[in-house]
Amino acid sequence: MRGLNYLLSAFVVTLCSTASVSSAVAAGYSEHPEAIKWAEKMKAQGFSAADVDALLNGVKKQQSILNAMDRPAEKRLDWGGYRKLFLEPKRINRGVIFWFEHEASIARAAAEYGVPEEIIVSIIGIETYFGRNMGSYRAMDALATLGFDYPRRAEFFQGQLTNLLTISQQETRPLTRMKSSYAGAMGYGQFMPSSYLDYAIDFDGDGDRDIWGSPDDAIGSVANYFKAFGWKTGGPVVIPVTVSTDISDESLINTGEVPTKTVAQWKELGVIFDSGVLADTSQPAVLLKMKDKDNVQYLLGFNNYYVITRYNRSRLYANAVYRLAEAIAQARADELKGS
């Protein structure tokens, strides 16, 4: 009976919680203090009161988004776990298929923007499994939830909600039809609204920057993004190195900063690498440490590594993009050789 009473009590609590959440969802954000402040700013900037009020009345709080923000993969996984997540054979094989399906657009984007074909493919593969997992949330709900109920990054997400409203008006794209991830990232390449405004392009020539429905637009937009952030055509991304002496200053490793220390300077600190892999020791690089349980691998990351981190600041992410690109390119080459 004690167990039954406990279950009944839990059931009642669940019902009450559900009713409370449902009521909050139905109410939208029109009465939320932070939303009211945001609305006043938008109207002062020239957005129509009708559009702003309609948005706040229409958005719905998503508790699942707030829960997801507290458990990103970068905090839970080391490099070994991250590699298993993103470099599995199915993703590699699907990457080869996607590349063949959109071969002309990928080749054209690489030629026009100077970004390797396999990097473009890899980004889309990691972000959305080549368009299969673009997110099922309405972007307006995701950004409102995070903008008004996630204080740690409220300013950023409120700004993104403003950008989403701008996209809707400039592109005549209904707010309710723009889908996103739980963090508000949209389309094949998971662009935040600010990135959409700055870097999304109409690559298929139909007059619409459709990163959700047009793989061609997504491919061109990813390449444009990388070029805008300074991708160097033909430049290295990362190279494996060994460390001959313990680098006592841990602040030198995994800094996430723009590479400034040259390869020659790293050599003086005890970093060893094959000179046949990299002859130019004047290039700036950062020292990276990748852990797979008890195994440790060191890498030097160059300008193009840093550019990848402009997409996602995680070193694990950047290494996964590069390694998946290598794996897809090799698998495609093997298939072409065998055909």
Side-chain angles (χ1 to χ4, degrees):
M1 286 298 294
R2 181 181 178 187
L4 178 59
N5 288 335
Y6 175 81
L7 290 174
L8 287 172
S9 298
F11 180 65
V12 170
V13 170
T14 300
L15 282 178
C16 292
S17 299
T18 302
S20 175
V21 170
S22 298
S23 176
V25 167
Y29 271 102
S30 60
E31 303 300 323
H32 194 290
E34 287 299 314
I36 292 172
K37 293 178 186 177
W38 176 83
E40 291 172 351
K41 291 179 183 178
M42 295 306 96
K43 294 169 186 177
Q45 291 177 19
F47 288 94
S48 76
D51 288 345
V52 174
D53 291 342
L55 171 61
L56 292 184
N57 283 320
V59 294
K60 299 177 181 178
K61 179 179 177 179
Q62 301 290 344
Q63 183 60 43
S64 58
I65 289 175
L66 298 174
N67 297 339
M69 289 297 288
D70 293 327
R71 55 174 190 273
E74 288 83 354
K75 291 184 178 181
R76 293 181 287 113
L77 302 175
D78 61 10
W79 165 241
Y82 212 83
R83 183 185 61 231
K84 290 177 183 177
L85 187 64
F86 290 107
L87 273 73
E88 78 275 21
K90 287 183 179 179
R91 195 182 302 260
I92 295 168
N93 293 336
R94 181 60 197 164
V96 174
I97 293 170
F98 182 86
W99 196 339
F100 279 124
E101 288 176 343
H102 305 286
E103 188 170 11
S105 291
I106 293 167
R108 180 162 64 92
E112 290 185 17
Y113 296 100
V115 181
E117 296 179 47
E118 61 269 25
I119 292 290
I120 298 170
V121 173
S122 181
I123 284 286
I124 293 174
I126 284 183
E127 290 293 337
T128 62
Y129 205 92
F130 309 101
R132 292 187 172 187
N133 301 321
M134 287 191 276
S136 58
Y137 291 102
R138 297 190 307 177
M140 58 191 281
D141 292 340
L143 295 171
T145 297
L146 294 170
F148 306 134
D149 279 312
Y150 192 65
R152 187 154 62 89
R153 299 197 65 195
E155 182 178 358
F156 171 77
F157 287 110
Q158 287 180 24
Q160 294 300 323
L161 185 60
T162 301
N163 291 328
L164 189 73
L165 185 56
T166 301
I167 292 170
S168 178
Q169 295 182 344
Q170 288 185 357
E171 307 283 328
T172 61
R173 190 176 296 280
L175 281 166
T176 55
R177 295 183 62 184
M178 287 187 279
K179 294 297 182 70
S180 76
S181 70
Y182 69 84
M186 308 179 300
Y188 277 84
Q190 294 291 274
F191 276 22
M192 294 301 291
S194 57
S195 294
Y196 178 96
L197 289 172
D198 291 339
Y199 309 113
I201 61 173
D202 171 22
F203 203 55
D204 62 12
D206 68 353
D208 183 19
R209 297 190 290 173
D210 183 8
I211 61 173
W212 297 266
S214 169
D216 291 346
D217 285 358
I219 288 163
S221 297
V222 168
N224 184 45
Y225 185 100
F226 271 69
K227 180 181 179 181
F229 277 92
W231 184 273
K232 293 184 178 179
T233 305
V237 178
V238 297
I239 62 169
V241 298
T242 56
V243 178
S244 63
T245 58
D246 290 334
I247 295 181
S248 58
D249 188 356
E250 286 288 330
S251 67
L252 294 175
I253 305 172
N254 301 332
T255 62
E257 298 175 354
V258 178
T260 55
K261 196 181 298 295
T262 66
V263 174
Q265 290 173 316
W266 284 117
K267 287 182 68 175
E268 291 176 0
L269 289 171
V271 173
I272 303 170
F273 62 93
D274 183 353
S275 59
V277 174
L278 185 75
D280 183 5
T281 60
S282 67
Q283 295 187 65
V286 291
L287 183 60
L288 307 169
K289 185 178 182 179
M290 300 290 168
K291 292 187 67 177
D292 182 353
K293 296 181 180 178
D294 294 330
N295 297 319
V296 175
Q297 179 187 28
Y298 288 95
L299 305 168
L300 281 181
F302 299 87
N303 172 79
N304 287 345
Y305 156 81
Y306 181 76
V307 172
I308 297 175
T309 66
R310 298 310 87 195
Y311 216 98
N312 182 313
R313 296 181 186 276
S314 165
R315 73 183 187 282
L316 303 179
Y317 175 91
N319 200 35
V321 168
Y322 182 60
R323 299 306 176 192
L324 181 62
E326 286 185 318
I328 293 173
Q330 184 60 58
R332 182 173 183 269
D334 292 343
E335 188 159 331
L336 287 171
K337 190 183 299 181
S339 61

